[in-house]
Amino acid sequence: MNLVTVVLILAFGALVAYAFYLLRSFVETKRYTGDKVRLEREHFIPFSDEQIRDAFTTLLAKKGDPNLQRDFATMYDSVKMFFHMKHYPEHRDLIESYSRLENNDKSTVVNEQFVEKLSALLENAHFKPITDKEVDFALQEDYMLTVPVEVNWTKLDDSLLKSHTNKLKIPEGNLPEFSNYMWVFKRGVGVDRTTDLLILEKMDVLIISFLGWINRGISRLVGKPVPGSASNDMAQEQSNSDEVQRITLKGSLKPSHLFSATTLQEPTFKELVLVYQKKNEGLTLRSYRNIPMADMEVLFPEIGTKLRPNDLIKFTVTMCLGILSGIINMDSDESILTSLTFQSFLVLAAKTAVDYYFAMYYYESLVIRFMHDKAMDNNKGVLLYLLDETTSQEFKETIVAYYFALELGKSTEHQVDEAAERFLKEMTENLKFNVKGIDFDAPGGLKKLAKMGLVTQEGDKYVALPIQSAIKTLPISPPRGARQL
């Protein structure tokens, strides 16, 4: 046995060991987490101002009173103008602060003030920080984008966000470990469904399942604890939530289903906002829409793609066959055969390398296309959108609370809340919105109305001012040419 043969044998063993190590990492990090998830209902009202107006048009038209329609139209536009005027000064200051950041203002005070105002802005627009539980739940599964990715956190700067991370308001749970490097805010929940053959994805799942079976057998032989399925804590939330069936390949795939169409279902974030800072760069804001939870990590900055299990198996088998062929023929006395074997091995190695780089390029293009399809805006565009949404959410909460406080007469907070949620649920059904329920913020809406002097409180009940009196009470003049509902 010559030196070349020894080298080939060692290379063969190293390649098999490394491939098994990579495949085992898939087994340990992608375990089935259960098939149900509870999504907390949110205060976020996903309908536009015009859609709310149209819904009120339908309700008021049934009363057959043109004067009531005209008066409420004036009230509607007056309240909307009030909130635009209320937020204008603070919005102008925030835009000026961000403009200074764009112009590379290195002032620590400016940066700190902007981040503090930004977190308050996100909260007022009903965005919530994502929790560690939600991140763990998302990363345990794959959905449509099954490209393995990893984030290089060392390329991000934590100097700006770190001091404000602990100030973020989170209802329960903890912030993710990466929160010092990047903030992820979510708003709205929904469900995405898809039906396809998904043959490559099914092969990945079968490979991982088979290796998982081997891994558990080895663990039992050596006396190590056998890793079980991660518990689905997301399905054990409070009653103010909706249960969604999560349908994944891991939970339902059988070998007989390999060549038949399969339907998958995954809960989604209606909107995500990412805030982070790369080293030696300014603060970055990015927003995305309709993101399946299991695909969330693809949107993170500084990600690198990795091979999928079926590609890793293919490349490993190809290289191993080439090395084995070389070992078998290396000791042959036929110099021509030895030379041909060596040349064939080089060609095989080159082909494998080309296939590898092609696969990586293909996966990177998939990631870029996914990010492009889901992107809403970035940087100043995100900021302007958040400023507009803050005003819009406060206005919609207030006008909906006023309408039902007026409609019900003397009523409790609970009665206003129930009536408003029925109204919003009907809108969701009529407009066919992919939303899993809205938790109307009746306390917040009534509190705003009380500050504006549009409702009075008698014990635990609220009484709305008549429309004409309410218009006169607002600290602005009614807009000219108010449109009739």
Side-chain angles (χ1 to χ4, degrees), residues 419-439:
E421 288 189 357
R422 283 196 300 270
F423 167 73
L424 295 172
K425 183 177 181 181
E426 288 177 3
M427 285 192 66
T428 301
E429 294 171 351
N430 293 337
L431 296 174
K432 294 181 172 56
F433 263 51
N434 182 18
V435 178
K436 291 306 295 179
I438 301 170
D439 178 26

Side-chain angles (χ1 to χ4, degrees), residues 223-417:
K224 290 177 61 178
V226 179
S229 297
S231 62
N232 189 359
D233 293 332
M234 289 286 289
Q236 302 172 5
E237 298 294 339
Q238 65 274 19
S239 59
N240 186 29
S241 58
D242 293 303
E243 188 176 80
V244 176
Q245 186 81 12
R246 188 185 206 186
I247 304 174
T248 66
L249 288 176
K250 290 183 185 177
S252 58
L253 180 63
K254 297 179 180 179
S256 59
H257 298 162
L258 186 60
F259 299 103
S260 60
T262 301
T263 298
L264 304 182
Q265 180 171 285
E266 179 71 12
T268 63
F269 296 117
K270 298 299 292 182
E271 296 179 37
L272 284 180
V273 172
L274 274 59
V275 182
Y276 58 89
Q277 183 178 22
K278 295 182 181 180
K279 289 185 177 179
N280 302 318
E281 295 184 20
L283 195 67
T284 299
L285 310 177
R286 295 193 182 279
S287 60
Y288 302 92
R289 61 190 170 194
N290 298 326
I291 306 299
M293 287 188 177
D295 293 339
M296 178 184 65
E297 62 184 318
V298 179
L299 304 177
F300 290 1
E302 299 299 335
I303 61 171
T305 57
K306 300 185 294 184
L307 289 177
R308 298 197 312 195
N310 62 61
D311 294 310
L312 195 57
I313 290 288
K314 180 178 68 175
F315 295 146
T316 302
V317 170
T318 301
M319 289 298 294
C320 287
L321 289 175
I323 293 174
L324 283 174
S325 177
I327 293 173
I328 293 171
N329 295 295
M330 190 60 67
D331 291 331
S332 174
D333 294 333
E334 298 288 341
S335 59
I336 296 179
L337 180 60
T338 302
S339 176
L340 289 175
T341 300
F342 184 70
Q343 292 177 24
S344 300
F345 174 74
L346 291 179
V347 171
L348 186 61
K351 180 183 181 301
T352 303
V354 170
D355 289 345
Y356 170 82
Y357 285 108
F358 177 79
M360 296 300 291
Y361 173 79
Y362 174 71
Y363 295 152
E364 288 174 3
S365 66
L366 283 180
V367 170
I368 292 173
R369 186 170 62 187
F370 177 84
M371 295 178 68
H372 176 76
D373 291 342
K374 300 296 183 181
M376 292 176 61
D377 216 325
N378 59 73
N379 297 330
K380 197 168 187 177
V382 176
L383 181 61
L384 293 173
Y385 173 73
L386 292 174
L387 293 173
D388 184 63
E389 278 297 294
T390 299
T391 303
S392 179
Q393 289 296 315
E394 288 199 12
F395 160 67
K396 287 182 283 192
E397 280 180 6
T398 304
I399 197 65
V400 171
Y402 175 78
Y403 178 87
F404 287 104
L406 181 69
E407 178 76 11
L408 295 171
K410 187 180 292 186
S411 52
T412 64
E413 178 184 290
H414 179 68
Q415 290 172 323
V416 172
D417 186 66

